[in-house]
Amino acid sequence: MGDTTRPAGYVDGFVLVASTDARQAFTDYANTFDAIFMEYGATHIIEAWNDDVPDGSLTDFRKAVQAGEGESVAFAWVEWPDKASRDAGMERIMQDPRMDPANPDNPPMPFDGKRMIFGGFVPVVQLAR
C-alpha cells in the first residue's frame, strides 16, 4: 500500500477569460504580478493559455467563464507552503499598493475579473519525477 499521508502545501486555482488578442498583455501582466505573489510566500506559479480546450456537452472551461468568440481561456495555479502561509501572503498582497487596480502606475487587467473563477485547494495526491 502507498503512503497515505496528505501531501504538504496549498494551491489556489484560477480559470479566467481574456481577448485572444491579449495573450502577450496577459503574459506581461502575469510576469509582473506573479512576482509579487512570490515575494509574499508563493513557492510555484503556473500561468497557462488555452491550447486544447474542447467544448463539453454540459460544461467546460469556456462555459465556466462564459468565453465568447475571440476570447481565450487561461488556467493558473499558485502553490503555497501551507494554508496559513497562503492566508498571510494573500492578506499582504491585497494590501500592497502595487496590486491596486486604481494605481495609475499599474497596467490595466488584460482579462475580465468578473468572469474569473478561483478557489483554494488542499492537495490530496501529488506525484513528481
Side-chain angles (χ1 to χ4, degrees):
M1 209 127 170
D3 183 3
T4 58
T5 60
R6 191 180 84 208
Y10 196 79
V11 177
D12 282 318
F14 306 86
V15 180
L16 50 96
V17 64
S19 168
T20 299
D21 296 338
R23 181 177 176 166
Q24 188 59 54
F26 173 82
T27 302
D28 294 344
Y29 188 90
N31 276 316
T32 297
F33 291 98
D34 287 353
I36 297 170
F37 278 70
M38 295 296 287
E39 181 180 326
Y40 288 121
T43 58
H44 187 217
I45 300 173
I46 297 287
E47 301 273 1
W49 194 258
N50 67 193
D51 177 58
D52 185 10
V53 180
D55 292 335
S57 58
L58 180 60
T59 190
D60 58 47
F61 279 104
R62 294 185 62 77
K63 287 181 183 82
V65 292
Q66 300 175 349
E69 189 70 31
E71 292 184 316
S72 290
V73 176
F75 176 68
W77 69 89
V78 179
E79 296 178 13
W80 302 89
D82 50 49
K83 188 172 189 302
S85 298
R86 179 270 206 157
D87 290 348
M90 288 301 285
E91 183 176 333
R92 291 170 42 209
I93 288 165
M94 292 299 117
Q95 295 173 357
D96 191 310
R98 295 174 294 174
M99 294 298 295
D100 185 353
N103 183 338
D105 294 330
N106 287 347
M109 282 193 325
F111 56 89
D112 184 350
K114 292 178 183 170
R115 291 188 283 162
M116 176 175 62
I117 58 174
F118 58 91
F121 300 85
V122 175
V124 294
V125 174
Q126 197 165 278
L127 303 175
R129 283 204 190 271

